[in-house]
Amino acid sequence: SQPLAPSPVEAPLRDLTWGQINFLHTTDTHGWHAGHLQEPSYSADWGDYISFSTRMREKAEANGQDLLVIDTGDRIEGNGLYDASDPKGEYTFDIIKQQHIDLICTGNHELYKRNSSENEFNINVPNFGSSYLASNLDIMHPETGEQIPLAPRFKKFTTRKQGIRIMAFGFIYDFTGNENNTVIQPVEDTVKETWFQEAIWDREVDLFLVIGHVPVRSPEFLELYQAIRKVQWDTPIQFFGGHTHIRDYKKYDAKSFALESGRFMETIGFQSIDGLSTSTKTVQTSAAPKFSRTYIDNNMFSFHHHTQLNATTFPTEHGQNVSKEIRAAREHLQLDTTYGCAEQNLWMFRAEYPSNSSIFTWLEQRVLPDIVVDKNRMNKSRLAMVNTGGIRFDIFKGPFTRDSAYIVSPFTSGFRYVKDVPYDKASKLLTILNNNGQVLQNMEPSLQSWMLAPIEQRSFSTHVFTQNVTVPHNEDLQRPLLSEPDLTPGYTTKDDAGSDGDDTLHTPIASYRVPNVIQSQIDPPLQSGDPETIDVVYIDFIQPWVLLAFQFLDLDYSIDDTAIYMEGENLTTLLAKWVTANWKDNC
Ligand SMILES: Nc1ccn([C@@H]2O[C@H](COP(=O)(O)O)[C@@H](O)[C@H]2O)c(=O)n1
Ligand SMILES: [Zn+2]
Ligand SMILES: [Zn+2]
């Protein structure tokens, strides 16, 4: 375990172990480039991160070492800084490009919609040039319609200081929910491509670097590991993953590791490797290089500690200018406009569901009954269904702002419905969608295999519950972070390298399971007893699964039986209205 050193404010921080080559890694930033305004532990912004990476590079280079910066996708959707502008992302592309990123790839969120994948092609790919990799991703050219790689498939380069010869790839997991202007080639097919085989057969390589919007414990990374190991039995391989929003580190073998660096600008992943061969020096194959990882809490105390600098010596002018740019964008977007104030914290995973502190119970009991009302169907009973994966963050006690509305519910998905569904069947839908009963008998095989898949593998669920999932906190917003010797609650990660990965020592936080879908039954006033038929209303993102579940109930509905419910509204706009109406007087 690594030594503990006091931080500038006396809190215990683990030091980094530097190597010949060092990496900083972000993933799933989802627009949180302003950092967390309500959580001191994660309060550094993208400008601070630019200063940090600059100072870390200076430190590495002063010691003759290399430092590479990596981002593995899902940069959009999840925060007002991206979602509140029209068009979306008006400010974020310019902010993100200010970071010197050595390797970058695409996440699924960049691909749900035509316009966001075209933004990658037209803005981010030119911004990052040959650093942007798309090993298994094509786009239909926005003008010609021709199918072409979104970016280069791979990149071979030699590091400046150490002369390490690197072969790098940039993947996305086998995602199928993309708009039809992009094409994702499954990883198991991509590894058979001639260009990939030629790249991995190259003997003049000291390190294979696979970055991807791919969970580190996924079949896709395993396929890539096996494909490379088959032809390079000994060359070190470093993976950088993402998508499951957790801190995680997987060991494939003594010379191959994978790092995943959390979500939402909470974590800057640090990885080092020491003992690699280089273009000028061959290391004995029997000696395994040393790999070391640290999950850095994204705040200035950690940044100062790891660079051994202080408030005067740490910031760069460039970083400070980007922080200014972020503040100006937030102001233009009026993200601090307060709709109302929450009287208590409402948690996604930190509170049991159902319970009074659960955001999902609050939605079911308080919000959905008020907001799921279509003027043309208001006298009809309805079941309102929302996928928990569409809710992205907690609500903290205190001001609920324009930013909060996007943070909790960033997606533009509207509601759709199937009218007049027999109640006895409609009332069974939720159990089927949440797969927690004896519902598999007589089920059609493809539906059965979907139902049998672990909840986190079904594509509309985003949550992964593993041993090492910990959820961040804002236990006491008023308390200055790390200013006292006692520990604050936060990430306490266990991974394949042990329990010493988090830079900041925290006390652990509980994490509870939540279902795929929550539901409210909303009856018109004066109705007594269950209705004979009911409208089934749901967020349009889950329509494919709702239609499948109908099939299981022998209800033969198709898309033609569905229609828009509450034209022009979505959960974000409705939530903002609800808070204004119900929490305005709490402030
Ligand atoms: N319109 C959308 C898009 C996505 N979701 C949810 O997000 C999950 C994927 O998010 P990651 O950051 O983990 O890639 C997806 O499984 C859905 O739960 C949504 O609800 N609506
Ligand atoms: Zn994500
Ligand atoms: Zn993702």
Side-chain angles (χ1 to χ4, degrees):
S1 127
Q2 297 170 42
L4 300 182
S7 80
V9 280
E10 304 294 321
L13 280 181
R14 294 183 176 97
D15 284 332
L16 305 177
T17 301
W18 290 72
Q20 249 174 312
I21 184 161
N22 306 280
F23 301 89
L24 295 176
H25 175 217
T26 51
T27 190
D28 295 271
T29 51
H30 286 287
W32 286 78
H33 302 97
H36 290 233
L37 281 81
Q38 294 177 295
E39 291 180 288
S41 284
Y42 315 114
S43 52
D45 68 22
W46 195 251
D48 301 321
Y49 179 43
I50 288 171
S51 297
F52 183 55
S53 62
T54 306
R55 297 306 187 205
M56 292 286 278
R57 191 176 299 105
E58 285 168 4
K59 196 167 148 81
E61 293 188 355
N63 292 324
Q65 301 164 334
D66 290 297
L67 181 113
L68 300 181
V69 177
I70 289 171
D71 183 87
T72 46
D74 274 8
R75 289 171 286 277
I76 68 167
E77 299 187 327
N79 189 288
L81 190 63
Y82 173 83
D83 290 285
S85 65
D86 186 12
K88 287 174 186 287
E90 204 180 335
Y91 298 96
T92 47
F93 293 103
D94 192 59
I95 290 164
I96 292 168
K97 87 162 188 217
Q98 305 287 333
Q99 176 64 286
H100 173 100
I101 299 180
D102 296 280
L103 291 168
I104 183 167
C105 66
T106 317
N108 50 308
H109 280 266
E110 281 87 16
L111 306 178
Y112 280 115
K113 293 186 180 149
R114 173 179 299 267
N115 126 290
S116 47
S117 54
E118 291 187 349
N119 280 343
E120 288 305 294
F121 182 74
N122 290 325
I123 306 173
N124 266 343
V125 171
N127 282 351
F128 290 102
S130 67
S131 299
Y132 202 126
L133 298 180
S135 298
N136 63 337
L137 174 60
D138 287 352
I139 188 164
M140 306 304 177
H141 191 285
E143 267 96 54
T144 66
E146 187 195 354
Q147 182 175 333
I148 53 165
L150 179 93
R153 298 285 192 223
F154 67 100
K155 176 178 179 174
K156 187 175 180 190
F157 62 103
T158 302
T159 63
R160 284 199 302 133
K161 288 287 170 183
Q162 287 279 320
I164 299 164
R165 295 162 301 172
I166 292 180
M167 182 67 80
F169 305 99
F171 278 88
I172 178 162
Y173 71 96
D174 296 349
F175 174 51
T176 53
N178 53 316
E179 177 65 74
N180 66 7
N181 70 318
T182 55
V183 178
I184 293 151
Q185 186 180 39
V187 171
E188 66 165 328
D189 297 336
T190 311
V191 298
K192 294 178 194 140
E193 294 274 348
T194 311
W195 69 263
F196 184 82
Q197 285 297 322
E198 280 174 7
I200 62 173
W201 272 95
D202 190 334
R203 295 286 166 213
E204 305 295 306
V205 171
D206 303 309
L207 175 68
F208 284 96
L209 198 50
V210 184
I211 73 158
H213 194 74
V214 182
V216 298
R217 293 175 201 277
S218 61
E220 289 92 331
F221 263 2
L222 189 61
E223 279 156 12
L224 284 159
Y225 165 74
Q226 286 167 342
I228 299 171
R229 267 289 165 269
K230 216 171 172 177
V231 299
Q232 300 269 2
W233 68 275
D234 200 40
T235 310
I237 313 169
Q238 176 67 49
F239 293 84
F240 288 94
H243 183 57
T244 39
H245 293 189
I246 58 173
R247 293 180 172 187
D248 200 4
Y249 193 56
K250 177 172 165 56
K251 177 178 181 177
Y252 289 94
D253 63 38
K255 296 186 179 185
S256 181
F257 288 83
L259 178 70
E260 189 168 338
S261 303
R263 60 166 197 182
F264 302 166
M265 285 284 288
E266 291 167 352
T267 305
I268 307 296
F270 174 87
Q271 173 77 50
S272 68
I273 313 175
D274 208 40
L276 293 170
S277 291
T278 69
S279 52
T280 55
K281 185 182 74 187
T282 306
V283 169
Q284 287 267 330
T285 53
S286 58
K290 287 201 176 69
F291 291 76
S292 175
R293 56 78 187 95
T294 303
Y295 310 101
I296 299 173
D297 274 8
N298 180 40
N299 64 63
M300 298 303 280
F301 298 104
S302 285
F303 288 0
H304 289 169
H305 177 83
H306 297 306
T307 53
Q308 291 160 316
L309 297 169
N310 57 42
T312 315
T313 54
F314 172 82
T316 63
E317 198 183 334
H318 184 201
Q320 285 179 318
N321 286 340
V322 174
S323 298
K324 257 190 227 150
E325 192 178 336
I326 292 169
R327 284 194 292 272
R330 286 186 54 84
E331 226 171 284
H332 280 130
L333 294 167
Q334 302 182 326
L335 295 184
D336 292 328
T337 302
T338 300
Y339 294 140
C341 291
E343 284 179 321
Q344 62 164 106
N345 296 326
L346 292 167
W347 304 112
M348 291 181 60
F349 308 119
R350 285 192 63 186
E352 230 167 321
Y353 166 84
S355 77
N356 286 341
S357 306
S358 161
I359 194 167
F360 302 113
T361 302
W362 169 74
L363 280 167
E364 272 181 348
Q365 294 184 352
R366 299 287 318 278
V367 183
L368 294 178
D370 288 348
I371 65 172
V372 181
V373 185
D374 185 303
K375 59 180 185 319
N376 302 315
R377 303 288 297 172
M378 57 199 299
N379 294 322
K380 195 72 207 175
S381 288
R382 57 236 177 238
L383 287 175
M385 296 183 170
V386 170
N387 62 315
T388 55
I391 304 300
R392 304 291 280 190
F393 204 60
D394 308 310
I395 293 175
F396 297 138
K397 181 179 174 183
F400 184 101
T401 62
R402 181 165 151 79
D403 200 16
S404 315
Y406 289 106
I407 282 172
V408 172
S409 168
F411 304 125
T412 50
S413 317
F415 286 86
R416 295 186 72 78
Y417 79 117
V418 178
K419 67 177 180 188
D420 300 330
V421 178
Y423 181 77
D424 60 334
K425 299 216 167 173
S427 57
K428 297 191 174 101
L429 276 172
L430 187 72
T431 311
I432 296 171
L433 291 164
N434 287 331
N435 184 27
N436 55 357
Q438 309 297 311
V439 292
L440 293 165
Q441 291 152 7
N442 307 324
M443 197 182 277
E444 189 262 312
S446 70
L447 187 55
Q448 201 174 80
S449 64
W450 174 68
M451 293 294 292
L452 282 169
I455 227 159
E456 61 271 19
Q457 280 169 24
R458 290 199 245 141
S459 54
F460 67 94
S461 169
T462 194
H463 314 309
V464 176
F465 291 87
T466 62
Q467 273 290 305
N468 67 341
V469 168
T470 55
V471 182
H473 65 96
N474 85 328
E475 194 61 51
D476 181 351
L477 297 173
Q478 303 315 313
R479 181 176 171 192
L481 174 76
L482 308 183
S483 66
E484 295 164 22
D486 53 332
L487 307 182
T488 54
Y491 281 102
T492 52
T493 310
K494 288 193 189 78
D495 61 23
D496 285 6
S499 313
D500 62 355
D502 303 296
D503 78 330
T504 310
L505 266 74
H506 287 294
T507 53
I509 291 168
S511 178
Y512 298 92
R513 278 180 181 276
V514 299
N516 267 337
V517 177
I518 55 164
Q519 163 183 290
S520 287
Q521 178 168 335
I522 308 157
D523 294 315
L526 305 180
Q527 181 183 301
S528 63
D530 289 334
E532 237 169 67
T533 62
I534 193 160
D535 288 351
V536 172
V537 184
Y538 50 85
I539 295 265
D540 70 6
F541 184 79
I542 63 170
Q543 178 160 288
W545 295 280
V546 172
L547 292 178
L548 265 176
F550 275 136
Q551 264 182 45
F552 171 70
L553 291 164
D554 290 329
L555 289 170
D556 199 17
Y557 294 122
S558 72
I559 292 186
D560 297 341
D561 299 301
T562 72
I564 293 175
Y565 200 85
M566 300 184 290
E567 180 100 52
E569 297 284 9
N570 62 45
L571 195 52
T572 321
T573 54
L574 292 167
L575 206 53
K577 286 181 197 164
W578 189 92
V579 168
T580 310
N582 291 276
W583 285 355
K584 202 168 170 204
D585 299 334
N586 299 349
C587 294

